Amino acid sequence: LTHLSLYNVRWTNLDPALSSDSVELPQLLELHLSGCNPGDILPTLSTPSLQTLIAHSDRSRTNLRANLPQYTNLRELQWGDLGTETCFQEILELSPNLIRYSNYVFGKEEELDLWEIEEPATILDIVARDL
């Protein structure tokens, strides 16, 4: 399995079905999470080869449920930025080889309600702190 898309999956739906702490997906290159909480889903999946992560939701997410691994192969991150999120910040810190980032998901730009975004893009806060 090299590509996986999850839509509207909740941790409470996954937890009883898991026989171990994580699902091993060693060949997974691209992961799409739509309507999911990445802070719940990402600690559940072991994805050492992951190159592209796309996370889209129309609501803000909670913090991480568990620690995340280093994403050394992650090159592209598309993240629907709805304000400060611990999960997003940690993924950035754990992705030393990231070369492409967008604070929206390609193809979903028209769905953004710019008038409802009250906080600046999370990436701007992170970059400003590093200056």
Side-chain angles (χ1 to χ4, degrees):
L1 183 66
T2 59
H3 292 74
L4 176 63
S5 293
L6 298 175
Y7 175 74
N8 208 25
V9 174
R10 304 278 181 254
W11 167 248
T12 53
N13 299 97
L14 284 178
D15 191 29
L18 293 176
S19 58
S20 65
D21 290 338
S22 69
V23 175
E24 302 289 326
L25 299 169
Q27 305 297 319
L28 192 70
L29 301 176
E30 189 168 317
L31 176 61
H32 293 246
L33 301 175
S34 184
C36 303
N37 180 351
D40 284 343
I41 303 296
L42 291 173
T44 305
L45 304 176
S46 173
T47 56
S49 301
L50 190 64
Q51 294 177 3
T52 301
L53 173 60
I54 300 169
H56 174 73
S57 182
D58 57 358
R59 61 187 180 280
S60 61
R61 300 161 195 100
T62 59
N63 292 335
L64 286 163
R65 181 184 53 76
N67 291 333
L68 293 174
Q70 184 93 15
Y71 290 101
T72 55
N73 292 312
L74 192 66
R75 302 292 186 266
E76 180 178 357
L77 177 61
Q78 296 178 35
W79 190 279
D81 190 349
L82 300 173
T84 305
E85 297 182 51
T86 304
C87 184
F88 169 75
Q89 189 165 342
E90 186 156 339
I91 289 171
L92 277 181
E93 293 170 5
L94 293 170
S95 305
N97 298 312
L98 192 66
I99 57 173
R100 184 175 180 178
Y101 166 75
S102 66
N103 70 336
Y104 60 91
V105 174
F106 298 142
K108 302 283 187 184
E109 304 91 325
E110 293 174 6
E111 295 177 21
L112 291 174
D113 186 351
L114 300 177
W115 298 107
E116 289 193 20
I117 299 174
E118 297 176 1
E119 297 181 48
T122 305
I123 191 73
L124 298 176
D125 286 341
I126 294 169
V127 170
R129 271 193 302 239
D130 290 343
L131 294 177

